[in-house]
Amino acid sequence: MGEARSSEIVFDDFAKVDIRAGTVTRAEPYPEARKPAIKLWIDFGEEIGEKRSSAQIATHYDPVDLEGRQVLAVVNFPPRQIGRFLSEVLVLGLPDAEGAIVLIGPDQPVPSGGRLS
């Protein structure tokens, strides 16, 4: 076997990233952000509770349609100040053909707080 490329990781590296399913409980426009964003409040169940995130998803999503939607987020990054809003988790998505973010989440309901495995 050859040497590992610098971009390769071992399973223990992946296991350090805590990705959980959460349910959006509240969403509001965030017009003060440098790029169009939406403020999210996400319930991750009893163990983690409700966390906030600022997500640059305004191209494809209206805040009113996000309540109740399940998303995936990294919950063990340190909080990050986004303007006047403290973002506590990183909501995950993929760019479409134009680079606008499309959220990823489970295709069937799962318990809030479930860890990606």
Side-chain angles (χ1 to χ4, degrees):
M1 298 212 140
E3 288 185 35
R5 295 186 319 237
S6 63
S7 63
E8 289 182 346
I9 63 172
V10 296
F11 184 79
D12 289 344
D13 294 328
F14 174 73
K16 291 176 188 175
V17 182
D18 193 356
I19 299 173
R20 303 284 182 124
T23 304
V24 177
T25 59
R26 183 172 147 204
E28 296 177 359
Y30 191 21
E32 303 89 357
R34 278 186 280 144
K35 293 183 180 179
I38 297 175
K39 296 184 216 178
L40 301 172
W41 285 259
I42 306 164
D43 175 21
F44 290 99
E46 284 187 31
E47 181 185 345
I48 297 171
E50 186 174 78
K51 299 290 182 182
R52 301 181 304 168
S53 184
S54 172
Q56 294 174 357
I57 58 173
T59 299
H60 291 299
Y61 303 96
D62 187 319
V64 80
D65 298 325
L66 290 168
E67 192 170 313
R69 182 186 180 103
Q70 288 199 300
V71 296
L72 292 180
V74 177
V75 298
N76 64 334
F77 280 143
R80 188 169 169 209
Q81 194 72 41
I82 309 293
R84 301 176 82 191
F85 188 75
L86 185 65
S87 189
E88 300 171 295
V89 299
L90 175 65
V91 175
L92 300 176
L94 298 166
D96 67 10
E98 285 77 43
I101 300 300
V102 176
L103 292 171
I104 59 171
D107 65 357
Q108 296 182 28
V110 299
S112 289
R115 186 168 184 172
L116 181 72
S117 57

